[in-house]
Amino acid sequence: YKLNDKALLESVDVLLKSTTNESEQLRELTKIHNALTRREPRNVKRWIAFINHQDNFLARSKKRSERERIKEKTIAICERALEWNPNDARLHACLLKCSQECESKDQTKERWVLTLRKLPTSVVLWYDYVEFVKHATSFAEFYALSNGINGFSKFVSCMVVILFVLQLGNAINRVL
């Protein structure tokens, strides 16, 4: 698909009206998502729409192996999106959610560690991490995860420093 936005929207509209075969519609929409993300690889909203589009395939799949293959493809899409947008917390959250659903606990933990090292000030990611740890481990293991707790402690310290700097900046601006 090498279309401008208007032609693309028209082709989507025609596709949805002309085809009753849901599988064919999903495949065509996938081609469109591929074209859009290739044309604008730094457009995070398009990547997220593409990632969410994979849920349509999941909803139709019955076999576990098929569902795992779709999740692996979704992970690949997330990773490709992160190549273009490495500091976007929303894309990291999509990747981590998908990882939790289809990869081993160890693989997911490793992804979490790498992500939190890369984006240590993301409140949303830290919140999601705490939720992941609560659900992925037993009560005793939760408190034994000193790395996670130390990391969260560093995050809180960093946020305190940032807040102090912002307040100091505001005070200086008022004086000037």
Side-chain angles (χ1 to χ4, degrees):
Y1 286 92
K2 292 187 176 185
L3 307 168
N4 60 37
D5 283 343
K6 183 178 178 186
L8 188 61
L9 291 173
E10 288 172 3
S11 69
V12 169
D13 195 40
V14 168
L15 168 72
L16 295 177
K17 290 178 182 173
S18 67
T19 306
T20 57
N21 182 343
E22 188 178 2
S23 295
E24 186 178 322
Q25 286 178 347
L26 288 174
R27 282 192 298 277
E28 288 300 312
L29 286 171
T30 299
K31 289 179 187 177
I32 291 168
H33 281 293
N34 268 318
L36 291 172
T37 54
R38 279 192 193 108
R39 185 171 39 175
E40 293 184 77
R42 298 209 187 278
N43 187 328
V44 173
K45 289 182 181 178
R46 293 200 189 224
W47 282 108
I48 290 174
F50 192 10
I51 292 164
N52 291 336
H53 171 66
Q54 298 303 304
D55 291 340
N56 296 325
F57 288 104
L58 276 176
R60 297 186 71 249
S61 64
K62 306 261 188 277
K63 297 178 185 174
R64 182 177 178 180
S65 61
E66 187 177 322
R67 294 178 66 78
E68 287 176 3
R69 192 178 79 249
I70 294 166
K71 282 294 182 183
E72 288 169 2
K73 182 175 181 180
T74 305
I75 286 175
I77 293 168
C78 292
E79 288 172 338
R80 194 170 59 204
L82 285 166
E83 288 173 9
W84 287 97
N85 306 282
N87 296 317
D88 191 89
R90 295 168 295 173
L91 291 172
H92 280 281
C94 289
L95 174 63
L96 292 164
K97 177 181 177 263
C98 194
S99 175
Q100 287 171 222
E101 294 171 359
C102 72
E103 293 182 328
S104 73
K105 191 189 304 186
D106 290 337
Q107 286 175 302
T108 303
K109 282 181 183 178
E110 182 62 28
R111 284 190 189 274
W112 270 111
V113 168
L114 294 173
T115 299
L116 292 172
R117 283 185 184 150
K118 185 174 192 117
L119 301 170
T121 59
S122 173
V123 176
V124 172
L125 287 174
W126 277 105
Y127 177 82
D128 289 349
Y129 176 69
V130 170
E131 289 298 311
F132 163 72
V133 171
K134 274 194 323 192
H135 295 11
T137 60
S138 69
F139 184 76
E141 288 174 319
F142 178 74
Y143 287 101
L145 291 171
S146 60
N147 288 342
I149 294 169
N150 285 338
F152 188 71
S153 174
K154 289 177 185 175
F155 162 73
V156 171
S157 298
C158 182
M159 293 307 291
V160 168
V161 170
I162 290 170
L163 182 62
F164 174 74
V165 169
L166 290 174
Q167 288 175 343
L168 183 62
N170 287 337
I172 291 171
N173 285 336
R174 277 188 250 136
V175 170
L176 299 176

